[in-house]
Amino acid sequence: MGDDADMADPPAPSLDVPDPDLTRDPILRGRLVLWQPRMGYRFSVDSLLLVHFVGEAPYGRVIDLGAGVGVIGLALAVRDPSATVTLLELQPRMARLARSNVEGNGGTDRVQVVEADLSNARAMRRLLTGASFDLVVSSPPFFTLASGPPVPDQEEAIARHELRLTLSDVCREARRLLVPGGRAALVFPSDRLTELLGGLDHEGLRPTRLRAIHPRPGQPAQRVLVLAIKGGKGGLVIEPPLIVRDDHGYTPEVSEALGDG
């Protein structure tokens, strides 16, 4: 990683006094407790399904591109006590909450938060040295500007729509930051799968695993999970579909991803 002064984390904000704009939510059956906005952009089950998709540890050096409040990176740190994790986030309040979540979950020795604009390639090169990470994870903004007007809340709009960060930005930086043979794992809308596969392949990140997420049996997929390898060879393995719910609630595999078992 780079050694710029910008890398140093400022102190996390004190959240001892209840903030009506925030909630503090346990996940992974209480193994993580995370601050997030009460209204606007909140993390979803997609994040934990991506963690589950990455598979077993060890993960090595991990970076989460567009980390929000830190759910994916912190969940990976819980699964692998030997991993080191960088949470890269553009939005100031989200980055502050991520720092509080790192501190509140005892992760300051292994997890750092970097507030930076991923779309600024020149600044990113100064901030983070290339070929420094073994695993890149990301849940990029799902919606293009052509898909409709962003939601009114500016913070949520930036997280959900390609206002400040595009898929091509994420693919470019994933390629630059990964060591040869390193892995990139992303969750993305299923109707943009061709863009995702093309964007990864364009950067020399060969997609090797794909899994579709279906809300219920018999319903079309809404999300896809894709893993790509920098400089990888060979074909793409399409894994069995992941069904989120059945008539009894969450399916056993999704319950496992959420912390049961």
Side-chain angles (χ1 to χ4, degrees):
M1 291 182 228
D3 56 0
D4 296 57
D6 291 343
M7 289 290 291
D9 290 345
S14 173
L15 295 176
D16 294 334
V17 178
D19 185 331
D21 294 330
L22 303 175
T23 63
R24 192 166 186 255
D25 302 304
I27 63 169
L28 299 177
R29 300 302 181 254
R31 292 197 288 278
L32 277 178
V33 183
L34 302 180
W35 292 102
Q36 62 176 330
R38 184 179 298 277
M39 304 294 293
Y41 184 72
R42 294 169 61 85
F43 59 79
S44 70
V45 67
D46 295 341
S47 298
L48 296 180
L49 294 182
L50 179 60
V51 172
H52 178 69
F53 177 71
V54 168
E56 297 298 321
Y59 305 129
R61 298 160 296 175
V62 180
I63 185 165
D64 183 353
L65 302 180
V69 301
V71 55
I72 297 172
L74 285 168
L76 289 168
V78 166
R79 287 172 64 109
D80 182 3
S82 68
T84 59
V85 178
T86 297
L87 306 175
L88 185 81
E89 173 53 37
L90 165 70
Q91 302 200 67
R93 182 170 72 144
M94 290 292 190
R96 290 196 299 269
L97 291 175
R99 291 187 185 100
S100 291
N101 289 333
V102 171
E103 185 177 275
N105 288 280
T108 53
D109 58 332
R110 294 192 295 124
V111 185
Q112 68 170 342
V113 179
V114 176
E115 186 178 332
D117 183 352
L118 181 62
S119 68
N120 187 332
R122 179 177 296 180
M124 287 298 300
R125 287 194 298 270
R126 291 196 303 266
L127 190 61
L128 293 170
T129 302
S132 295
F133 294 92
D134 305 294
L135 174 64
V136 167
V137 289
S138 186
S139 177
F142 283 176
F143 306 111
T144 65
L145 296 183
S147 65
V151 294
D153 181 88
Q154 181 69 7
E155 192 174 69
E156 183 177 8
I158 291 172
R160 295 190 182 278
H161 297 261
E162 293 185 336
L163 290 167
R164 301 280 302 276
L165 178 66
T166 66
L167 177 61
S168 61
D169 293 330
V170 172
C171 293
R172 182 198 69 241
E173 282 303 310
R175 185 267 310 157
R176 190 184 70 83
L177 292 170
L178 281 172
V179 298
R183 300 180 298 161
L186 299 91
V187 59
F188 212 54
S190 55
D191 61 1
R192 298 187 66 191
L193 174 59
T194 53
E195 292 177 64
L196 176 58
L197 296 178
L200 291 167
D201 207 48
H202 176 73
E203 294 292 345
L205 301 171
R206 176 60 62 89
T208 59
R209 292 174 54 208
L210 185 154
R211 195 168 190 192
I213 303 174
H214 300 253
R216 290 183 178 274
Q219 293 184 349
Q222 291 186 348
R223 304 282 184 264
V224 289
L225 300 160
V226 173
L227 187 136
I229 297 177
K230 183 176 179 177
K233 306 293 183 183
L236 173 65
V237 175
I238 299 178
E239 299 181 357
L242 178 57
I243 309 299
V244 177
R245 294 178 182 270
D246 57 21
D247 292 340
H248 306 288
Y250 285 127
T251 60
E253 187 175 3
V254 170
S255 293
E256 180 184 349
L258 298 182
D260 289 340

